[in-house]
Amino acid sequence: MLPWQWSEELPTSQHGEGVSRPRSGNQTREFRVLVSKPGAQPMTWITYAESKRHAIRYAQARWPDAEVEVA
């Protein structure tokens, strides 16, 4: 890794279909999720999910140490 690059993902994050994104073929809609990582400004993550609960679960799988809420 070069000095000006950094890793966005934690080693504890999980990725994959059904874990950090919906399975293909599922009916989804767009959600805007606020992700607040410790020591960083909050970011808005726009994702597609089956429900509000799934959108929160997908964000928590990607950023396990962050506070997550649906905007």
Side-chain angles (χ1 to χ4, degrees):
M1 187 176 297
L2 299 171
W4 62 86
Q5 293 178 327
W6 62 90
S7 175
E8 289 288 327
E9 306 298 335
L10 296 172
T12 56
S13 67
Q14 299 175 352
H15 300 275
E17 195 172 28
V19 178
S20 64
R21 63 180 181 270
R23 295 188 187 279
S24 63
N26 286 0
Q27 187 169 353
T28 60
R29 62 181 209 204
E30 184 179 284
F31 288 93
R32 294 178 185 271
V33 181
L34 285 168
V35 180
S36 302
K37 292 175 69 172
Q41 290 187 350
M43 67 175 176
T44 303
W45 180 52
I46 301 171
T47 187
Y48 286 88
E50 297 90 338
S51 66
K52 182 178 176 179
R53 181 176 52 90
H54 282 93
I56 291 171
R57 185 185 309 157
Y58 297 154
Q60 288 174 336
R62 288 178 180 255
W63 301 284
D65 64 337
E67 291 183 29
V68 177
E69 65 182 79
V70 175

